[in-house]
Amino acid sequence: EAAAGAEDAEGKSAEGGDEEAWEYVEFLKADVNAKVEVILQKTLYEAREKKGLTVLEETVGKTLEQVMEIRESLLKRIKKIRKGEIQIDPEQNIKQEEMLSEFRMEIMTILLKLVDRDATSIDKLKEISQDLLRFKMTISNEVMRMLMLPQATSGKKQQPTGDCSECDALKDISFKIENLVACADK
């Protein structure tokens, strides 16, 4: 039974598509968005409070380190998908690997700006902050896309179980309303 629970956690259950989408959303929120939030709210914001000659260099260094962590998280997830450790349901149209690769490219662009020689200027740090905000918005949009995807269906529509008294009552009401409308038209 523990093995079955582990399979469910990996997204390999009968409802694998829903599991995949949910795990993907959790990954984006916890391993990407939360880390970007820390960079924006702590590292870059607190740099404003500090004084001294090395503040910009320290801020760039710490930001670089944190952006590298995000890149690593993205790379690990892509690798797990490619190795089959994270089950993918192509019918769900989640496109996890494709989107994660795009996110990785965006992070690489930010990293390139951080290792640039003039990264330690206030203007460059503002630009990097804007890039991180845009990246955070992109991640939020992806989470929203996941939430808007239709739920996975297990093939056939489920037939209602039990008696059809509710259905019969609705049919009766519908019939009466149709007759009233027909009568009103005369």
Side-chain angles (χ1 to χ4, degrees), residues 11 48 58 80:
R48 294 173 54 185
E58 289 171 10
K80 284 181 178 181

Side-chain angles (χ1 to χ4, degrees), residues 56-74:
L56 289 175
E57 289 86 8
E58 289 171 10
T59 304
V60 168
K62 190 153 175 66
T63 304
L64 178 67
E65 196 176 293
Q66 291 168 316
V67 171
M68 287 293 288
E69 285 177 25
I70 295 170
R71 179 182 167 272
E72 276 303 307
S73 296
L74 292 169

Side-chain angles (χ1 to χ4, degrees), residues 61-185:
K62 190 153 175 66
T63 304
L64 178 67
E65 196 176 293
Q66 291 168 316
V67 171
M68 287 293 288
E69 285 177 25
I70 295 170
R71 179 182 167 272
E72 276 303 307
S73 296
L74 292 169
L75 287 173
K76 281 180 186 174
R77 182 126 182 132
I78 292 169
K79 187 176 179 182
K80 284 181 178 181
I81 291 169
R82 290 180 180 165
K83 282 185 166 185
E85 293 174 21
I86 295 175
Q87 199 65 32
I88 300 296
D89 181 7
E91 292 178 22
Q92 281 292 297
N93 199 26
I94 292 176
K95 299 178 185 173
Q96 212 180 136
E97 183 180 351
E98 183 181 315
M99 295 308 295
L100 289 170
S101 294
E102 282 185 34
F103 299 149
R104 185 185 57 84
M105 294 304 291
E106 286 184 48
I107 281 293
M108 286 303 296
T109 304
I110 294 170
L111 280 171
L112 287 172
K113 288 182 180 182
L114 282 165
V115 296
D116 193 12
R117 268 186 273 144
D118 5 320
T120 55
S121 74
I122 291 174
D123 289 337
K124 275 292 186 180
L125 271 177
K126 284 181 182 176
E127 184 182 326
I128 290 165
S129 295
Q130 291 299 314
D131 290 343
L132 284 166
L133 280 169
R134 270 192 292 281
F135 180 71
K136 186 178 182 324
M137 183 63 83
T138 304
I139 297 297
S140 297
N141 289 342
E142 177 66 0
V143 169
M144 186 59 69
R145 185 181 76 88
M146 286 299 102
L147 297 175
M148 299 301 283
L149 281 177
Q151 294 292 313
T153 54
S154 56
K156 299 178 183 175
K157 282 189 174 180
Q158 291 182 340
Q159 293 296 322
T161 55
D163 66 354
C164 287
S165 59
E166 289 179 23
C167 298
D168 292 338
L170 289 174
K171 285 179 188 175
D172 189 40
I173 292 170
S174 177
F175 178 74
K176 289 177 182 176
I177 290 175
E178 287 172 12
N179 284 340
L180 278 172
V181 170
C183 183
D185 287 341

